[in-house]
Amino acid sequence: MIALIMALPLVVPGLSLTRHVDNQLSEFRFAAAPRLATGGFVYAAIDQKSLQAVGTWPWPRDVHAQLVDRLIAAGARDVFLDIDFSTPSSPSGDARLARALEEAGGGIILPLFRQNLGAAASDPLIVTAPIPQLAEHAWPALVDVTVDDDGLVRSFPVTEAVAGVPTQSAAAVLSGFSDPDVSRLAIDYSIRPETVPAYSVSDILSGKVAEAELKDRAVVVGAHATELKDLFTVPVYGILSGPMLHVLAAETLAQGRILKTLRIEPIAFLFAALVVTYSLFLRHRSLMLPLASAFALISTTEMVAFLLFKQMALVIPTATLWAILVAGLIMLLTERMGLSSWIAELVTAENRDIRRILKRVISDSVDPVIILDENLKLLDASETMVTMLALPGGVSRGTSLEAFAPSGMVAAVRDLQARHKQDVSRVRSDCVEFSQQTMEGSRQLELAITISSLETRLGGETSPAGSHVVCLTLRDVTARRIYEMRLKEMARVDELTGALTRRGLVETIEESPGDWYYLAVDLHRFSQLNATLGREKGDMVLKAVAARIREHAVPNGVVARIDGDVLCCALPATAGPAGLTEQAERLMALFNWPFEAGGIKVELDARAGICLGSSSLGPASRWIEAAEMALDDAKRVVGRGWRSYDPATALRHARSRMIEAEMKTALEQGQFFLLYQPQVDLSSGQLTGVEALMRWQHPGLGMISPLEFVNIAEANGFICDLGRFLFEEACKAAMAWPSHVSVAVNVSPVQFARGTVLDDVVRALETSGLSPERLHLEITESTMLDRSEALLATLHALRSLGVSLALDDFGTGYSSLSYVSGLPLDKLKIDQAFVRNLVNDPAMQSIVIAVTSLAHGLGLKVVCEGIETVEQSRMLLDFGCEQGQGYFFGRPATAQRILEMATASVARSFGNRVNG
């Protein structure tokens, strides 16, 4: 016990429990010695009030520029924008903020932080910095936050190397502290956060904060709202925002509260010596004396530690001292209670119980347990051993293993024993299987072997069992192996057709590497055949098709069912690429005569996708997928036919998969944006509205066409998120335009099907403040295929809000006068396909005149798309069309450009061109 106590000063300080206790004591001292903030640092909070005032997040860079201008005008000493500016925004917004930073004269600090490239802590660090356009006019500062093992933030960096360059932290820059030899300091949490002057950014922008409150002070601008998630767990206060964390760190430096932690090891050695000496001299005294002394010592030491912290910022980790003191008290108690003899008696009784329990467990074990000594003679065994090994009778103690065990079992034990003798310090174990013939047939037995070394007794005497014992456990795994074989066969062979499964096909081809012809076959309209004949007859047809293709594939080909009604035939490619067409024609010829199913003849057509694959260029699964891609192309033909694999198609599929995978991230990162195409009154030439068009600027793929990403978004349902973004951005942009300019938004049928349109429109109107009459929704004809009550109710609800509804691309889809007359519409848009050749095509002129007459008869306005010449404009005006859009009036433009066109009356020049 004395030796243990003297070793504690080396061991205890590194224990996590000790650090936890010291942290709790430090937290108590922080709370018991509160300090006021100096007032030299001001927290400008981006709170809920500020977010509601701007209406969006991230804020446009113009807002940050206004805030910088306001703070510099008020005389702020330094301004730290704790906001991520690492990605570009709009060019005008970035330029506006860069100008504000330049005019501030270098008094603006921007954040620089490091983060892991991936989710794992071992992933390399990358530096995230402001974009160069902003960084050249500002002072970069490190804002890294390190979390301790218990999840709390207790320290902050002072100066660290970033990309090889020494960089100060934001707190060091704000407080003017400079010491290149100091990399990290503790934060003094005795400084009360509530004494730091804090103001809402919205109040600063609106001028509600007096300039005197900001003059000659360092201002930290950052997130305060819970939604922005810039929150950290800290001692004493629980949760603090990131900007407040930087303010407290700066206050720590400004107040000279650089906490110094005293090395406890020398004091702990002296303390341990005193505890041992005290315990030896007072061990025969009453226990009350050492207990009272311990209490007095703890109280006095903690009071001294508290005063040193309060007055001198000195931290004494006293938990190590109290661990040593507890060990001394335990030493006194141990001697008083005669603990050694009591433990010895307890261990002896426990050993007897353990031996009795182990004997019972071994005897009653369902899986036989066999214990052997060093010479492989029986020490003990379960009663079930006789049955498992099919022995004629019991086996007595001391019988050699060879006398009752199969030869395979003996060989496995001797092999492991030989390996054990090479290194007796290790526990050796192995698991083997062997077969055993019995009167009932062959059985598969699993044998687990464990060899454990025995400790020698005092004086070097070994156990009667020798230097080690061998434990054998037997288990009958016959039923399990049969079941596993059946499962493997079921995974390889399709139960219905007897053909291989996809997995079985891949495994079979991989066993015979080389070049193969892959032919994926789909039965045309098979689902309708199932519905007509019934599932049972359909299964018969499928089996008949699989059987005919298998006959065709013999002797070296293989056939698999890789989907519900899709079969794949793989044939050795003996003739190279030239033989692929011949194999496709031969396969298609199999469908020239009918198939028999339950006494009836069934005529079938098939489509096939084919490719030539080689194991040297990729696994079999790759070529099966290539044949399926070709089959997708073949399904687009009518009746029977086949198509070869086209690598370009694979590239298109890969591109589509990448686009689908990155849509959500692209929306979050602001890669989607809107352009607006003017809509003009044909009679006056006045700009009456715009159509909002979504664009995607991908950082790697460039500009992605809506024709490409809209179909993908509709297929996976993400179109609802894009539609919500489109509503909000379009309404917000329209608020900056004159009141006579409306905005038209296209709505996907998927949005109506999922029932999100009405809620999204109401939210966008409420958020932006746009009048409902200025919002027009354009609906395609495919939306009307499902004339459900829910759809009609949604349309009427939108009309009741005041929103206008237009039928887009009329005449190109499922045009029907019956559904047009029954819908609550306001406009009808004639597709550009009818306008493109309008001047020279009388048929198109007749169609446009008829549609215009129909629309006017139903009380609808007519909008014509795709107008590119003055002749088209004049002719459409003569036909009675009210509005038009197209490149003649303007290409899609930004919201700012539309504002310029509307305010400068540029659109009226269009009317002069039309009517002149």
Side-chain angles (χ1 to χ4, degrees):
M1 289 294 294
I2 292 174
L4 174 64
I5 292 175
M6 295 307 297
L8 289 179
L10 296 176
V11 178
V12 171
L15 299 178
S16 59
L17 178 61
T18 307
R19 292 196 297 270
H20 174 71
V21 174
D22 280 327
N23 287 335
Q24 294 296 314
L25 291 172
S26 295
E27 190 168 343
F28 168 76
R29 294 164 192 158
F30 285 144
R35 305 178 68 86
L36 301 179
T38 61
F41 304 95
V42 174
Y43 179 17
I46 302 176
D47 52 9
Q48 185 64 40
K49 178 181 178 182
S50 303
L51 293 178
Q52 291 176 351
V54 177
T56 184
W57 183 263
W59 282 350
R61 299 282 161 87
D62 296 347
V63 177
H64 299 298
Q66 294 173 19
L67 179 60
V68 170
D69 293 341
R70 179 77 67 175
L71 293 174
I72 294 301
R77 184 180 77 246
D78 292 306
V79 178
F80 170 40
L81 299 179
D82 189 14
I83 299 165
D84 183 7
F85 294 117
S86 61
T87 56
S89 180
S90 65
S92 61
D94 290 339
R96 173 70 179 87
L97 181 56
R99 187 166 62 254
L101 298 181
E102 183 178 9
E103 293 172 355
I108 308 301
I109 306 166
L110 295 183
L112 192 75
F113 58 93
R114 297 168 294 184
Q115 57 185 349
N116 293 98
L117 184 60
S122 59
D123 289 334
L125 289 174
I126 60 172
V127 178
T128 300
I131 60 176
Q133 185 179 4
L134 304 180
E136 65 179 341
H137 301 300
W139 185 271
L142 191 64
V143 295
D144 287 358
V145 175
T146 304
V147 180
D148 289 354
D149 293 338
D150 58 358
L152 273 65
V153 178
R154 293 188 173 86
S155 61
F156 66 98
V158 178
T159 302
E160 292 189 5
V162 178
V165 178
T167 305
Q168 286 186 297
S169 68
V173 174
L174 290 169
S175 63
F177 181 83
S178 178
D179 189 345
D181 297 328
V182 178
S183 62
R184 182 166 291 277
L185 290 175
I187 299 175
D188 186 359
Y189 284 108
S190 65
I191 302 171
R192 309 300 294 181
E194 62 269 20
T195 64
V196 175
Y199 306 101
S200 172
V201 168
S202 65
D203 290 341
I204 296 176
L205 289 173
S206 63
K208 295 181 179 179
V209 179
E211 292 187 357
E213 303 295 331
L214 304 172
K215 185 175 177 60
D216 296 327
R217 297 185 178 184
V219 180
V220 177
V221 181
H224 181 271
T226 305
E227 293 88 344
L228 301 183
K229 300 180 181 178
D230 189 13
L231 301 173
F232 297 93
T233 307
V234 301
V236 183
Y237 310 115
I239 301 293
L240 284 182
S241 64
M244 180 58 76
L245 207 59
H246 296 307
V247 171
L248 291 185
E251 286 280 358
T252 299
L253 295 174
Q255 296 189 30
R257 294 290 295 176
I258 300 177
L259 303 181
K260 305 178 187 64
T261 302
L262 191 67
R263 283 202 61 188
I264 198 62
E265 288 82 357
I267 300 175
F269 272 115
L270 178 61
F271 195 81
L274 291 175
V275 167
V276 169
T277 302
Y278 186 88
S279 301
L280 290 176
F281 281 100
L282 299 180
R283 57 183 177 169
H284 299 302
R285 301 284 184 91
S286 169
L287 285 177
M288 292 302 298
L289 180 61
L291 290 175
S293 300
F295 178 78
L297 183 62
I298 292 173
S299 302
T300 303
T301 304
E302 283 298 330
M303 181 61 70
V304 171
F306 172 74
L307 293 175
L308 289 175
F309 164 76
K310 183 177 180 180
Q311 301 299 329
M312 303 173 61
L314 187 64
V315 179
I316 302 178
T318 55
T320 300
L321 306 180
W322 310 144
I324 295 171
L325 185 60
V326 170
L329 293 174
I330 292 175
M331 184 173 69
L332 286 176
L333 290 173
T334 300
E335 186 172 5
R336 286 293 175 89
M337 298 172 61
L339 195 60
S340 300
S341 58
W342 179 75
I343 291 177
E345 292 178 3
L346 183 64
V347 168
T348 301
E350 185 177 1
N351 285 339
R352 286 197 300 267
D353 291 339
I354 290 175
R355 285 196 299 270
R356 187 162 52 248
I357 292 171
L358 287 177
K359 178 101 177 145
R360 175 54 60 188
V361 169
I362 293 173
S363 176
D364 296 345
S365 177
V366 175
D367 293 331
V369 178
I370 305 170
I371 309 297
L372 306 172
D373 63 13
E374 180 183 6
N375 299 316
L376 301 187
K377 293 185 177 180
L378 185 66
L379 292 177
D380 204 351
S382 304
E383 295 179 359
T384 52
M385 180 191 70
V386 175
T387 304
M388 182 70 72
L389 295 178
L391 300 176
V395 181
S396 61
R397 180 184 174 91
T399 304
S400 176
L401 180 65
E402 290 90 340
F404 63 88
S407 58
M409 180 174 170
V410 175
V413 173
R414 289 199 177 280
D415 177 68
L416 186 63
Q417 191 178 46
R419 282 184 281 155
H420 171 74
K421 290 179 180 179
Q422 297 174 3
D423 184 5
V424 297
S425 62
R426 293 176 53 190
V427 176
R428 295 278 183 176
S429 62
D430 201 358
C431 189
V432 297
E433 283 192 22
F434 61 92
S435 300
Q436 184 184 37
Q437 296 296 328
T438 66
M439 297 291 293
E440 301 173 354
S442 177
R443 289 193 302 178
Q444 196 74 9
L445 300 182
E446 183 181 78
L447 172 66
I449 313 169
T450 303
I451 299 179
S452 305
S453 298
L454 298 177
E455 297 179 359
T456 58
R457 300 176 182 176
L458 293 177
E461 180 183 354
T462 60
S463 168
S467 62
H468 62 269
V469 292
V470 182
C471 177
L472 310 179
T473 304
L474 283 169
R475 176 167 292 178
D476 188 345
V477 294
T478 306
R480 186 202 303 172
R481 296 294 175 258
I482 294 174
Y483 180 67
E484 289 173 353
M485 290 177 62
R486 289 178 179 173
L487 285 180
K488 186 175 181 181
E489 185 66 18
M490 289 172 63
R492 286 179 53 89
V493 178
D494 178 54
E495 184 179 3
L496 175 63
T497 63
L500 295 175
T501 60
R502 183 187 294 267
R503 174 180 174 182
L505 178 61
V506 171
E507 292 176 353
T508 301
I509 293 177
E510 288 178 348
E511 292 169 1
S512 303
D515 294 348
W516 289 79
Y517 297 130
Y518 295 86
L519 302 97
V521 185
D522 174 72
L523 304 182
H524 187 44
R525 299 171 65 86
F526 184 73
S527 59
Q528 295 184 10
L529 184 144
N530 261 335
T532 303
L533 301 181
R535 178 68 65 179
E536 183 178 357
K537 287 288 193 301
D539 289 346
M540 290 181 183
V541 172
L542 197 58
K543 288 192 285 186
V545 173
R548 187 175 294 179
I549 296 177
R550 277 204 305 271
E551 291 178 7
H552 167 73
V554 293
N556 299 319
V558 287
V559 178
R561 183 187 180 194
I562 59 177
D563 205 350
D565 60 346
V566 179
L567 302 171
C568 184
C569 177
L571 304 169
T574 56
L580 187 58
T581 299
E582 179 186 353
Q583 291 296 342
E585 295 291 352
R586 291 179 58 194
L587 182 66
M588 290 291 97
L590 297 178
F591 294 86
N592 288 339
W593 64 94
F595 296 86
E596 185 173 350
I600 63 174
K601 301 290 186 180
V602 179
E603 297 279 353
L604 284 178
D605 279 329
R607 279 80 58 87
I610 63 174
C611 74
L612 172 62
S614 174
S615 58
S616 62
L617 299 177
S621 57
R622 170 186 172 184
W623 302 113
I624 295 172
E625 291 178 1
E628 290 180 289
M629 289 183 189
L631 177 60
D632 290 338
D633 290 338
K635 288 180 180 180
R636 297 186 178 96
V637 303
V638 178
R640 187 183 306 178
W642 56 271
R643 290 288 186 274
S644 296
Y645 167 66
D646 180 9
T649 302
L651 291 176
R652 288 195 299 272
H653 283 290
R655 177 182 170 93
S656 296
R657 286 194 295 270
M658 183 174 72
I659 288 174
E660 180 175 10
E662 296 186 8
M663 273 187 175
K664 182 176 181 182
T665 302
L667 184 59
E668 294 172 350
Q669 294 180 352
Q671 296 176 19
F672 287 96
F673 64 96
L674 300 187
L675 295 179
Y676 305 89
Q677 186 166 31
Q679 294 178 337
V680 173
D681 186 294
L682 293 178
S683 61
S684 66
Q686 185 182 20
L687 179 69
T688 60
V690 296
E691 180 179 355
L693 304 173
M694 185 173 291
R695 297 291 185 264
W696 182 359
Q697 180 66 49
H698 191 281
L701 301 178
M703 190 69 71
I704 301 176
S705 169
L707 297 176
E708 186 174 7
F709 70 77
V710 167
N711 290 335
I712 297 174
E714 286 184 330
N716 64 14
F718 192 69
I719 192 67
C720 294
D721 298 84
L722 291 180
R724 192 174 303 115
F725 167 78
L726 181 58
F727 285 137
E728 294 173 356
E729 289 296 307
C731 291
K732 184 170 63 177
M735 283 296 295
W737 303 331
S739 58
H740 70 275
V741 179
S742 62
V743 61
V745 177
N746 289 283
V747 185
S748 166
V750 178
Q751 293 172 262
F752 280 103
R754 297 203 173 189
T756 62
V757 174
L758 183 59
D759 292 339
D760 293 344
V761 168
V762 171
R763 186 181 301 109
L765 292 173
E766 291 178 349
T767 303
S768 65
L770 185 71
S771 173
E773 291 75 15
R774 296 179 62 193
L775 177 62
H776 298 178
L777 302 187
E778 296 189 356
I779 305 166
T780 60
E781 296 177 358
S782 56
T783 304
M784 309 307 169
L785 291 178
D786 177 22
R787 289 177 59 86
S788 64
E789 294 295 331
L791 172 63
L792 294 176
T794 301
L795 294 177
H796 283 290
L798 290 168
R799 280 290 301 278
S800 66
L801 286 176
V803 175
S804 297
L805 302 179
L807 183 61
D808 195 14
D809 299 335
F810 183 79
T812 62
Y814 306 91
S815 302
S816 171
L817 301 182
S818 61
Y819 75 70
V820 173
S821 63
L823 295 175
L825 300 174
D826 299 282
K827 291 183 180 181
L828 189 147
K829 296 191 71 175
I830 298 178
D831 188 72
Q832 59 184 338
F834 301 107
V835 178
R836 189 176 298 114
N837 300 318
L838 180 69
V839 176
N840 301 317
D841 191 340
M844 293 299 174
Q845 297 173 13
S846 299
I847 292 174
V848 172
I849 293 172
V851 172
T852 304
S853 176
L854 165 68
H856 290 164
L858 296 174
L860 307 180
K861 289 185 178 180
V862 177
V863 182
C864 296
E865 298 180 303
I867 301 175
E868 297 183 355
T869 67
V870 65
E871 290 82 3
Q872 293 172 344
S873 301
R874 290 172 177 169
M875 188 171 289
L876 291 170
L877 179 60
D878 292 339
F879 291 165
C881 300
E882 287 86 0
Q883 296 178 354
Q885 68 181 79
Y887 287 174
F888 177 65
F889 304 113
R891 293 178 177 271
T894 64
Q896 179 62 30
R897 176 58 183 153
I898 297 298
L899 176 60
E900 294 171 359
M901 293 171 62
T903 55
S905 299
V906 174
R908 287 189 172 84
S909 66
F910 301 145
N912 296 332
R913 292 164 64 187
V914 173
N915 299 319

